[in-house]
């Protein structure tokens, strides 16, 4: 990087900003003592991106504190997910991260109590359309996103990591039961290491929006590198993937982290993960799709098939969420009824 020309830096900064990875690049360069070797103008962009990221991390700490206080009397165990979990547990994917919301997972039986408590403390639903409310509450794995009326921050309250209508049904009770307390807290938990990797894989490879796909893949890479030092991590990852019906997302996670980011995965683990491998034709197609869609949303990272690849993966993700009849109904409503009511 330090040998890049200014035009190359200009392109890299644009790509990294679209991928939400600019601050992370700054931190990685700084950790290696290379940041001051970067030309002045690009270095200014990198440093400002890190300042913004640090402000986001401070905001996450504050927001988590508000959520803890709001839910303290509800008696509901709170497990943080994704970015907030990385920050509070001080994990590598938190480096240089920007945030749009806080995700938590609670028991399904506690959803009403959690929602009511959050409303009493200033959070309100953001989706007021009757169809959207029913869509979330009947079929999805979370409440409609809630936004604080003063701070404008958003919280997503999950009761599962995949919709109830999805073909895969990872047991939420098992995930929450295995969750671990964050050091220094007696009321905050995060998923166990193997479960955290699997959730990150599910989030990426079942997502209908892949504009941050490379950042999510970098998250998985960071988690794998970090947790690989744990003696039982790789065997537990394999066992847990089978137990939670997530062998296919794990296969994709290992395949693309290795192929794109050179993640050091043991050969034995690669062999074990083959149990989630799709048939040869499906794999050829998914390789063509994901290898395009996981790149930054920038014209320099696209070819004439990239737009179609993103559209096909959107359809795939929606297909994985719902049975065919419900999917057809949902798409018809979104295409022809929802626009008329706006």
């Amino acid at each position: 990087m330090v040998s890049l020309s200014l035009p190359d830096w200009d392109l890299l900064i644009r790509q990294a900003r679209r991928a939400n990875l600019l601050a992370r690049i700054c931190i990685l360069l700084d950790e290696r003592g290379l940041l001051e070797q970067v030309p002045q103008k690009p270095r200014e962009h990198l440093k400002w991106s890190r300042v913004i990221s640090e402000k986001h991390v401070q905001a996450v700490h504050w927001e988590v504190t508000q959520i803890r206080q709001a839910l303290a009397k509800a008696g509901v165990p709170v497990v943080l997910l994704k970015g907030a979990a990385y920050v509070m547990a001080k994990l590598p994917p938190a480096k240089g991260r920007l945030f749009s919301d806080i995700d938590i997972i609670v028991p399904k039986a506690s959803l009403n109590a959690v929602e009511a408590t959050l409303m009493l403390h200033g959070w309100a639903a953001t989706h007021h359309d009757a169809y959207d409310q029913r869509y979330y509450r009947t079929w999805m794995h979370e409440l409609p996103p809630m936004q604080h009326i003063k701070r404008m921050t958003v919280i997503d309250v999950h009761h599962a990591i995949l919709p109830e209508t999805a073909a895969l049904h990872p047991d939420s009770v098992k995930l929450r039961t295995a969750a671990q307390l964050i050091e220094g807290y007696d009321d905050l938990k995060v998923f166990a290491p193997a479960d955290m990797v699997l959730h990150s894989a599910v989030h990426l490879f079942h997502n209908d929006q892949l504009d941050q796909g490379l950042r999510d893949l970098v998250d998985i890479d960071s988690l794998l590198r970090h947790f690989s030092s744990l003696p039982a991590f790789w065997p537990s990852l394999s066992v847990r993937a089978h137990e939670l019906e997530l062998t296919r997302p794990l296969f994709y996670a290992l395949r693309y982290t290795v192929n794109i980011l050179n993640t050091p995965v043991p050969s034995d683990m690669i062999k074990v993960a083959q149990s989630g491998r799709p048939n040869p034709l499906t794999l050829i197609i998914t390789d063509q799709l994901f290898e395009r869609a996981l790149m930054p949303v920038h014209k320099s990272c696209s070819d004439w098939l990239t737009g179609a690849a993103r559209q096909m993966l959107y359809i795939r993700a929606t297909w994985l969420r719902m049975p065919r009849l419900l999917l057809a109904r949902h798409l018809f409503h979104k295409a022809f009824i929802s626009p008329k009511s706006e």
Side-chain angles (χ1 to χ4, degrees):
M1 268 189 198
V2 295
S3 63
L4 292 178
S5 66
L6 287 178
D8 288 337
W9 268 112
D10 178 74
L11 180 59
L12 175 60
I13 288 171
R14 294 172 188 272
Q15 294 171 342
R17 185 172 283 124
R18 295 301 297 269
N20 202 357
L21 287 170
L22 190 57
R24 186 177 184 86
I25 290 175
C26 178
I27 292 171
L28 293 176
L29 284 168
D30 200 19
E31 288 177 344
R32 288 157 178 77
L34 299 172
L35 184 58
E36 296 306 316
Q37 298 182 39
V38 174
Q40 179 186 355
K41 291 299 182 181
R43 188 168 69 246
E44 289 176 359
H45 280 278
L46 292 170
K47 287 185 174 180
W48 274 113
S49 69
R50 181 168 61 182
V51 169
I52 295 171
S53 172
E54 290 169 351
K55 294 296 183 182
H56 277 237
V57 169
Q58 289 176 5
V60 167
H61 278 274
W62 172 256
E63 198 64 21
V64 169
T65 298
Q66 304 310 304
I67 293 169
R68 289 173 59 211
Q69 291 177 354
L71 297 179
K73 294 182 179 180
V76 178
V78 177
V79 181
L80 296 172
L81 301 177
K82 298 188 296 185
Y86 305 151
V87 167
M88 301 305 294
K90 300 178 182 179
L91 293 172
K95 295 179 180 179
R97 198 176 186 88
L98 302 179
F99 293 84
S100 59
D101 56 24
I102 303 289
D103 294 83
I104 67 172
I105 185 169
V106 301
K108 186 177 180 181
S110 302
L111 281 177
N112 290 338
V114 169
E115 183 178 25
T117 301
L118 290 173
M119 290 176 69
L120 287 173
H121 286 80
W123 280 272
T126 58
H127 289 64
H128 303 293
D129 179 82
Y131 176 81
D132 285 345
Q133 286 287 325
R134 183 184 178 195
Y135 170 76
Y136 275 99
R137 296 176 187 279
T138 305
W139 300 312
M140 288 297 101
H141 54 305
E142 59 185 325
L143 294 174
M146 302 181 72
Q147 187 173 47
H148 198 276
I149 58 176
K150 291 184 178 179
R151 298 191 301 275
M152 306 306 291
T153 52
V154 176
I155 181 172
D156 284 339
V157 181
H158 299 251
H159 62 83
I161 63 172
L162 280 174
E164 296 191 343
T165 55
L168 301 180
H169 297 95
D171 191 331
S172 298
V173 175
K174 291 181 179 179
L175 289 166
R176 293 197 316 274
T177 301
Q180 302 175 349
L181 281 171
I182 299 174
E183 184 178 356
Y185 297 89
D186 59 5
D187 59 349
L188 280 180
K189 292 184 177 183
V190 296
F191 281 164
D195 294 348
M196 192 178 289
V197 170
L198 291 170
H199 178 224
S200 190
V202 168
H203 175 70
L204 175 55
F205 294 104
H206 283 248
N207 201 344
D208 58 2
Q209 300 293 331
L210 290 174
D211 54 314
Q212 301 294 310
L214 183 59
R215 195 281 311 274
D216 293 339
L217 193 69
V218 169
D219 285 351
I220 298 173
D221 168 81
S222 298
L223 291 173
L224 292 173
R225 291 176 188 268
H226 178 71
F227 291 138
S228 63
S229 61
L230 300 178
F233 171 68
W234 293 110
S236 67
L237 182 60
S238 171
V239 170
R240 200 63 165 165
H242 283 86
E243 186 177 349
L244 296 172
E245 304 178 23
L246 298 176
T247 54
R248 180 66 55 83
L250 177 61
F251 170 80
Y252 284 137
L254 298 184
R255 182 176 183 83
Y256 297 119
T257 52
V258 170
N259 290 352
I260 297 175
L261 300 173
N262 295 316
T263 308
V265 178
S267 57
D268 290 348
M269 187 64 206
I270 296 292
K271 292 179 182 178
V272 170
Q274 296 299 307
S275 62
R277 185 186 184 100
N279 66 67
L281 178 59
T282 298
L283 186 57
I284 290 173
I285 295 172
T286 53
D287 278 349
Q288 293 297 315
L289 298 180
F290 279 118
E291 287 172 4
R292 288 178 168 85
L294 290 175
M295 294 299 101
V297 185
H298 190 273
K299 62 181 180 181
S300 65
C301 304
S302 304
D303 62 18
W304 64 282
L305 286 173
T306 298
R310 293 184 182 279
Q311 286 295 324
M312 292 180 69
L313 287 173
Y314 174 85
I315 295 171
R316 170 188 176 272
T318 311
W319 178 271
L320 291 174
R321 280 203 202 121
M322 304 178 185
R324 282 176 285 185
L325 184 60
L326 180 59
L327 173 61
R329 177 184 173 185
H330 175 69
L331 293 178
F332 178 84
H333 195 285
K334 284 297 183 181
F336 299 107
I337 300 177
S338 291
K340 294 179 180 180
S341 60
E342 292 177 355

